[in-house]
Amino acid sequence: MAIGLFILAIIIQLAMVLAIFLLSLSRVTGNIVALVTVLVTAFISPWSLILGIPIALLCIVLLVAPIRQSLITKPVYKTLGGAMPSMSDTEREALDAGTSWWEKELFMGAPDWNTFAQYPYPELSAEEQSFIDNEVEVLCAMLDEWKIQHEDKELSPEAWQFIKANGFLGLIIPKEFGGLDFSSYAQSRIMSKIASRSPTAAVTCMVPNSLGPGELLMHYGTDEQKQRWLPGLAKGDEVPCFGLTGPEAGSDAGAIPDTGVVCYGTHEGEQVLGLRMNFSKRWITLAPIATVVGLAFKMHDPEGLLGNPDKTDYGITCALVPASHKGVIIGPRHNPIGSPFMNGTVDGKDVFIPLDYIIGGVENAGRGWRMLMECLGVGRGISLPALSTSASEMTYLSVGAFAKVREQFKISVGKFEGVQDATSRMASNTYMLEAFRHLVTCGLNQGGTPSVMTAMAKYYATETMRSVVNDGMDVVGGRAVQMGPRNFLATPYQAIPVSITVEGANILTRSLMIFGQGAMRCHPYLFDELQLLQSEDKEGALKQFDTLFFKHLGYTFNRGAKAFVAGYVGGSNHAPSFADSFTRPYYKHINRLSASFALTADMALGLLAGDLKRKEMLSGRLADIHSHLFISTAILQFYEHGTKSASERLHAEVALQNSLYTIQEAFEAFFANFPNRMAASLVSFVTFPSGRIFTPPSDGLKRKLGDAFMDDYEANPFRDYLKTMVYYNTEADDVTGRMEHAYQTLLSIEPLWQRFKKAEHKDSFEGLTFEDHVVYASQNGDITEEEAEVLIQYNAIRFDSLLTDVFDKHLLHAQERNNPHSLDNAVQQLTDYAQLKNNAHARNGIATHITAENNVDSNDLAAPARTDKPTGDANPNHGYESDGDVEMVKEQDTIEEVRAQTDFDEYDPEVEALDHRHRDAESHLSERMSNNHRLNQYNTDEVDRSAASEDAEIAKDDIEKPATTDPKWQDGLRRDEGDEV
């Protein structure tokens, strides 16, 4: 009995501690509740004081301020103060720069789903939609990226003029200065569509709207500076660039050696106070053609000319200088991995500029780093994510079409599980990127400068795009490897390193920026604590630290308690009001993982302190957790506003499972490598008491998504949606339209094509070539002449879409490719195989033909009797079933069906008989069919071989291509009167 009471008392005490943490009671309230509980449990069992006395002593220490501060606060303050590295003004500004948004809710471990549900889903205004449908569409039609990259090495003058005249360089500038003042979402959509046609043009339009000085002027410029520059930037009369990086400063932009020293000099004939500038900038986009240059430099005032002799070093400052200013040297162009957007150098030695060239005037001297982190960080959330999303979406469309059209081993390559492993990744990653774009631009549309969110967007968008394009290259293989104007994957593949490198190199962004800035901007107490630790007023700082530190402890224990409970019973059931049966379990997982992340992050910050800055692998894993929590919520939001079709659910499900599995593995790797093994084991037990709980998507899900990847329209609404996001066309001679044209053509005739190919693969037709087989089926009455023509037309389109480019000896000029399977050339592909075979059979008395009525499989177009069994490559389908179905000719017995196959006005037999030059390719094909296959009508009669050969030669001599002026033959396809051209 006594043992039972003792156990009960201990359980009550532990439950009390857990309840205090879960309810997040204040220090005073929590300690009083704990003391009362200790007294109550002491009456239940005096032995419970074994745990109760330590609890009571701790409560007394926490309640009595002098004791608390002496025993806890002062030692902690001293220890942390010595562990934290000194922070420069530049670092302080960088960490304090920007605002926070939804990413803070996820960092703090208790996301407010009511707030999430109220975020306005980004949409285009009527003006923005019109701009995309008209101006952007026209610009895209003007662009030929192969010509830009390999011939002109720059945009055409016409494209440049159109860009400037139509406001592409002033998307973000307010209308009062002549700009378009579009939303962040509209900017993203515009850049995506341009990038789907030409990354060169996209980068050209992107820079003035992100890295250019326009954003800085709008937020920090003086009224005079805004009036001087913004109208010209909006109209394209001024072309901007911004010089930040240089030979000695890339990722560590705070270490730039460029200087501006305050001095007196002459400007426009007058002696004024200004700066003597020395700078050397590299890798500056638009520099070779810029008319105005933004410069970041370190400002010094050694003589105290600005009025404060105690302040000689002001730090990083930004100025705006005309490119024509004396001493400014716009240097030669760089060649950024073959992408010919304008990129070059800017140099200057002893260049004197007046102080009013500083953006915002002298008042903003030394504030340049904060300005850059806040304003240019916004561009990171729009520009490169937009380009990455576009590249992935074009890859989805083109590779999906290829996977359907391209056949190997008698089936579409997209049906192979090895390929589906890649295409399912492509599909889910592309879905994730579009969802990610929507949530990020939603945050940007609401104002503010969420630097952590934009760092996430830049890193995970570009890295995901790299994965999608690389998978696409693997699937397409040789068609993607051979360079040329037909190659639809080479351009995004070549541009990958540019996206990875610029606007904050990806290694730096993941290892330092996301969690480093995230901890400062998203943690409710950390930044303020850090400020107090480095305060010069130690006594005053200690009092404030005492309050903040114990609030911090309460926050940490609350998240630990939530994570512990969630580990055993699952996460909180809190979810947005629109959650349904599919999404609700994912919200529960996010609640659990968010609380686990808050606890883990606090453990890392508390135990490693300043050393965490150097533990970049650990910091990178925390960045993965934080970012994929954000990405998961983006996927859920995007799904909620989508079609919710079975196909879209597949995309969302695989994407969500990938993100949750990535989060779990990042946790496991973090715990396995954390230096303090005891702390890591404890937190690992609290957060994942049963071990791993998530698995990657199953093979079954991947197969389903791999199949959906090749579908369109109702079967895959997401693919249909992607067409509205990019420059979409089905032109047969366009770099991206060619494959899409073949794909859409296949979809329109798929039942016929699949049925015919299935019969062909079963050796149901005589002959060596595809054209032989079509002729055989047509002569045998298994397909109509109209169906035969459709098959030949599609085969020509299919073959052309798979052709790669060839060049002259010096690889200077792509040569025209001949299509041997076009209707014009199809007759030349016919062979004498069937005739020769039947002649031999006739001589040897072998029966060669059984009528279709006696021997047609109900599942085949034609299935003549065979005396040999198929083996090896002839084995039907190699175990794979082709899809599709079509009615055979004998099944088409209604009057309407017969009439649909007959056109008595189409030909004039008498005129055509008089002059064979007027006969088109179809008549030649029919004549050749007759000659090659006429012997099939005999069973035992001996045929004169020499006479048959003579007939064949006559038919060959009669073959001529149709006149090029005949309107029936355009684009390689037969068109009759009334057909649209």
Side-chain angles (χ1 to χ4, degrees):
M1 181 68 177
I3 295 176
L5 291 174
F6 169 72
I7 293 174
L8 174 63
I10 294 298
I11 291 174
I12 291 173
Q13 290 176 353
L14 293 176
M16 171 270 301
V17 173
L18 182 62
I20 289 173
F21 292 150
L22 279 176
L23 296 174
S24 195
L25 299 180
S26 68
R27 184 177 69 242
V28 174
T29 303
N31 283 307
I32 292 175
V33 170
L35 287 171
V36 171
T37 304
V38 168
L39 291 174
V40 171
T41 54
F43 282 105
I44 296 174
S45 172
W47 288 103
S48 67
L49 290 175
I50 294 174
L51 178 61
I53 290 175
I55 292 176
L57 290 174
L58 180 59
C59 289
I60 293 171
V61 169
L62 294 176
L63 284 171
V64 181
I67 300 176
R68 180 180 70 248
Q69 292 177 5
S70 176
L71 294 180
I72 300 176
T73 307
K74 287 182 180 179
V76 170
Y77 183 84
K78 184 177 180 179
T79 301
L80 292 178
M84 289 294 179
S86 60
M87 187 183 301
S88 67
D89 291 340
T90 298
E91 287 180 307
R92 185 175 289 105
E93 284 192 352
L95 292 174
D96 192 33
T99 58
S100 57
W101 189 60
W102 177 243
E103 70 278 10
K104 182 172 184 176
E105 293 281 339
L106 296 167
F107 188 100
M108 291 171 58
D112 184 345
W113 295 112
N114 291 329
T115 298
F116 181 76
Q118 292 170 8
Y119 287 146
Y121 191 68
E123 295 179 344
L124 297 173
S125 68
E127 181 184 5
E128 291 166 343
Q129 185 67 63
S130 175
F131 188 83
I132 290 174
D133 293 341
N134 294 283
E135 283 85 349
V136 178
E137 185 79 9
V138 171
L139 175 61
C140 288
M142 298 171 66
L143 301 169
D144 181 343
E145 187 67 4
W146 175 263
K147 191 172 186 292
I148 292 169
Q149 284 200 14
H150 300 276
E151 297 178 19
D152 298 341
K153 307 296 183 182
E154 61 178 329
L155 295 178
S156 67
E158 295 79 13
W160 260 117
Q161 179 58 35
F162 189 85
I163 287 171
K164 293 178 179 180
N166 288 276
F168 283 87
L169 304 185
L171 300 177
I172 64 173
I173 296 175
K175 291 185 177 181
E176 62 184 288
F177 297 107
L180 296 175
D181 197 18
F182 282 169
S183 67
S184 297
Y185 178 59
Q187 295 171 49
S188 177
R189 287 283 304 274
I190 290 166
M191 294 307 160
S192 280
K193 188 164 183 175
I194 298 172
S196 70
R197 193 62 175 168
S198 168
T200 303
V203 171
T204 300
C205 296
M206 172 188 85
V207 169
N209 293 291
S210 59
L211 292 175
E215 182 92 14
L216 295 173
L217 284 171
M218 286 159 46
H219 288 87
Y220 302 104
T222 64
D223 290 339
E224 292 78 9
Q225 288 172 338
K226 292 178 181 178
Q227 294 295 338
R228 164 66 180 87
W229 294 110
L230 289 180
L233 291 171
K235 295 177 182 177
D237 296 334
E238 302 286 357
V239 178
C241 70
F242 195 91
L244 178 60
T245 54
E248 301 293 340
S251 297
D252 185 12
I256 55 178
D258 311 291
T259 59
V261 179
V262 180
C263 64
Y264 283 97
T266 302
H267 177 66
E268 295 181 350
E270 296 183 6
Q271 191 79 359
V272 297
L273 191 61
L275 298 167
R276 184 176 67 251
M277 305 279 295
N278 286 281
F279 50 89
S280 179
K281 303 295 186 180
R282 297 294 181 270
W283 317 305
I284 311 304
T285 301
L286 295 187
I289 58 170
T291 62
V292 56
V293 180
L295 291 173
F297 58 93
K298 286 185 175 177
M299 181 171 161
H300 305 276
D301 183 15
E303 300 179 74
L305 297 177
L306 295 181
N308 187 354
D310 295 329
K311 187 173 184 179
T312 59
D313 296 327
Y314 281 77
I316 295 177
T317 303
C318 295
L320 203 57
V321 183
S324 59
H325 192 80
K326 184 179 179 181
V328 176
I329 303 171
I330 300 294
R333 291 176 63 180
H334 293 306
N335 186 5
I337 208 162
S339 187
F341 59 87
M342 289 293 172
N343 189 267
T345 64
V346 181
D347 293 280
K349 184 169 180 61
D350 294 329
V351 177
F352 180 81
I353 65 171
L355 287 177
D356 61 10
Y357 278 16
I358 296 175
I359 297 177
V362 179
E363 293 78 7
N364 276 340
R367 297 189 64 206
W369 192 236
R370 183 186 185 94
M371 292 159 60
L372 292 171
M373 293 300 295
E374 288 185 346
C375 292
L376 302 187
V378 173
R380 273 195 320 218
I382 298 175
S383 304
L384 286 172
L387 269 62
S388 299
T389 303
S390 169
S392 299
E393 291 175 346
M394 286 304 298
T395 303
Y396 185 114
L397 291 170
S398 297
V399 176
F402 175 90
K404 180 82 169 179
V405 171
R406 176 67 162 159
E407 295 180 2
Q408 292 287 274
F409 304 104
K410 303 178 181 179
I411 62 170
S412 295
V413 297
K415 285 286 187 179
F416 291 95
E417 287 194 11
V419 173
Q420 289 179 336
D421 191 31
T423 56
S424 62
R425 263 195 317 272
M426 295 172 65
S428 60
N429 280 337
T430 303
Y431 189 86
M432 180 274 276
L433 283 174
E434 188 60 44
F436 200 11
R437 181 239 293 274
H438 274 77
L439 188 56
V440 170
T441 54
C442 174
L444 295 174
N445 281 348
Q446 291 191 297
T449 54
S451 55
V452 177
M453 181 186 74
T454 57
M456 290 177 180
K458 192 275 172 178
Y459 175 80
Y460 291 94
T462 54
E463 288 293 340
T464 303
M465 177 270 294
R466 169 155 47 184
S467 171
V468 171
V469 174
N470 278 335
D471 279 334
M473 292 290 291
D474 289 349
V475 173
V476 179
R479 176 70 172 83
V481 169
Q482 299 299 332
M483 292 290 291
R486 288 172 169 265
N487 194 318
F488 53 81
L489 268 184
T491 295
Y493 181 76
Q494 282 183 306
I496 288 173
V498 175
S499 298
I500 298 297
T501 303
V502 301
E503 295 194 37
N506 276 10
I507 291 176
L508 166 79
T509 301
R510 175 179 178 267
S511 300
L512 291 176
M513 292 183 65
I514 294 175
F515 184 74
Q517 279 192 314
M520 295 301 162
R521 298 309 311 155
C522 299
H523 197 287
Y525 308 109
L526 185 62
F527 183 76
D528 291 334
E529 288 172 330
L530 191 59
Q531 297 288 81
L532 292 173
L533 289 171
Q534 298 196 350
S535 172
E536 295 181 2
D537 180 11
K538 298 299 181 183
E539 186 176 347
L542 184 62
K543 292 181 180 179
Q544 297 180 58
F545 183 80
D546 180 59
T547 302
L548 274 179
F549 178 68
F550 284 98
K551 284 184 177 179
H552 188 162
L553 282 181
Y555 162 84
T556 302
F557 286 122
N558 172 260
R559 273 35 179 190
K562 286 185 174 182
F564 178 77
V565 172
Y568 285 94
V569 302
S572 152
N573 287 319
H574 294 305
S577 56
F578 52 69
D580 58 23
S581 59
F582 169 66
T583 60
R584 191 171 295 280
Y586 291 105
Y587 288 111
K588 192 171 184 177
H589 290 318
I590 291 170
N591 289 330
R592 171 182 179 175
L593 294 171
S594 178
S596 299
F597 174 64
L599 175 64
T600 304
D602 258 15
M603 175 191 73
L605 291 166
L607 296 180
L608 296 181
D611 286 341
L612 186 58
K613 183 178 180 180
R614 291 176 286 276
K615 298 290 185 181
E616 295 180 13
M617 294 183 188
L618 294 179
S619 178
R621 293 181 183 113
L622 293 173
D624 289 340
I625 296 169
H626 192 190
S627 300
H628 274 280
L629 284 171
F630 188 93
I631 288 169
S632 297
T633 60
I635 296 168
L636 290 167
Q637 184 202 54
F638 187 68
Y639 174 80
E640 175 61 29
H641 289 85
T643 63
K644 294 189 177 180
S645 63
S647 172
E648 184 168 356
R649 179 174 293 193
L650 268 177
H651 285 76
E653 187 173 4
V654 174
L656 286 165
Q657 289 189 17
N658 280 329
S659 281
L660 295 180
Y661 182 74
T662 299
I663 292 170
Q664 171 185 270
E665 296 307 295
F667 269 120
E668 291 292 335
F670 180 87
F671 294 140
N673 291 279
F674 194 74
N676 189 320
R677 301 303 309 139
M678 182 178 295
S681 298
L682 176 62
V683 175
S684 176
F685 171 74
V686 169
T687 53
F688 290 92
S690 59
R692 287 178 167 86
I693 56 175
F694 301 113
T695 59
S698 67
D699 290 352
L701 269 181
K702 291 180 180 179
R703 285 193 296 270
K704 290 179 181 178
L705 187 52
D707 286 338
F709 182 71
M710 297 184 291
D711 290 333
D712 203 354
Y713 304 112
E714 295 84 359
N716 183 6
F718 181 63
R719 187 183 198 278
D720 216 28
Y721 167 85
L722 292 184
K723 300 173 192 175
T724 66
M725 297 290 108
V726 299
Y727 181 75
Y728 176 80
N729 75 94
T730 57
E731 299 297 325
D733 59 349
D734 182 80
V735 59
T736 56
R738 180 179 288 108
M739 183 57 69
E740 187 68 10
H741 176 57
Y743 171 74
Q744 294 296 337
T745 304
L746 173 58
L747 292 183
S748 69
I749 67 157
E750 187 170 12
L752 172 64
W753 176 258
Q754 293 290 352
R755 192 69 177 274
F756 182 84
K757 293 298 288 185
K758 185 176 182 180
E760 184 183 50
H761 295 157
K762 291 184 176 181
D763 287 344
S764 300
F765 310 130
E766 296 286 4
L768 299 178
T769 66
F770 177 84
E771 286 77 9
D772 281 344
H773 297 163
V774 172
V775 166
Y776 182 93
S778 178
Q779 291 283 320
N780 202 41
D782 297 311
I783 59 175
T784 66
E785 291 185 6
E786 182 181 359
E787 289 170 334
E789 186 173 326
V790 166
L791 289 169
I792 291 176
Q793 285 180 325
Y794 168 68
N795 189 54
I797 294 169
R798 178 198 64 82
F799 187 83
D800 180 73
S801 72
L802 301 175
L803 285 176
T804 53
D805 291 284
V806 294
F807 291 81
D808 60 277
K809 179 180 179 181
H810 301 289
L811 299 178
L812 297 177
H813 304 290
Q815 299 177 353
E816 186 176 351
R817 296 307 311 267
N818 178 56
N819 186 348
H821 297 288
S822 68
L823 272 175
D824 292 8
N825 299 327
V827 67
Q828 300 175 31
Q829 304 306 312
L830 295 172
T831 71
D832 292 333
Y833 174 82
Q835 178 180 342
L836 296 175
K837 179 179 179 180
N838 282 292
N839 285 347
H841 285 180
R843 285 197 308 273
N844 292 288
I846 300 174
T848 61
H849 180 74
I850 297 179
T851 62
E853 288 78 1
N854 294 331
N855 195 52
V856 174
D857 191 310
S858 62
N859 293 319
D860 295 334
L861 282 172
R866 295 182 52 87
T867 58
D868 54 334
K869 295 183 179 181
T871 58
D873 286 343
N875 191 28
N877 294 321
H878 287 269
Y880 294 95
E881 272 302 316
S882 298
D883 298 326
D885 195 11
V886 68
E887 286 186 341
M888 292 181 289
V889 170
K890 60 182 58 60
E891 297 171 327
Q892 301 172 358
D893 53 6
T894 68
I895 296 176
E896 290 77 9
E897 288 171 330
V898 173
R899 184 179 296 125
Q901 299 173 40
T902 310
D903 188 350
F904 296 102
D905 298 327
E906 187 171 356
Y907 300 114
D908 188 338
E910 294 183 1
V911 173
E912 293 181 3
L914 293 175
D915 189 348
H916 68 273
R917 289 174 298 180
H918 291 157
R919 286 177 288 174
D920 58 22
E922 183 182 10
S923 62
H924 280 290
L925 197 58
S926 297
E927 182 177 346
R928 189 59 182 266
M929 288 190 300
S930 176
N931 279 286
N932 278 353
H933 299 276
R934 58 190 174 89
L935 296 182
N936 285 346
Q937 60 185 307
Y938 303 109
N939 290 330
T940 56
D941 294 346
E942 183 70 19
V943 178
D944 186 345
R945 183 171 182 177
S946 61
S949 299
E950 181 179 350
D951 288 343
E953 287 299 317
I954 292 173
K956 185 176 180 180
D957 291 338
D958 284 343
I959 295 171
E960 287 186 18
K961 294 182 180 179
T964 57
T965 57
D966 189 344
K968 290 182 181 180
W969 299 94
Q970 296 184 31
D971 305 318
L973 299 178
R974 178 177 174 273
R975 302 180 186 278
D976 297 328
E977 292 179 9
D979 288 351
E980 265 192 22
V981 177

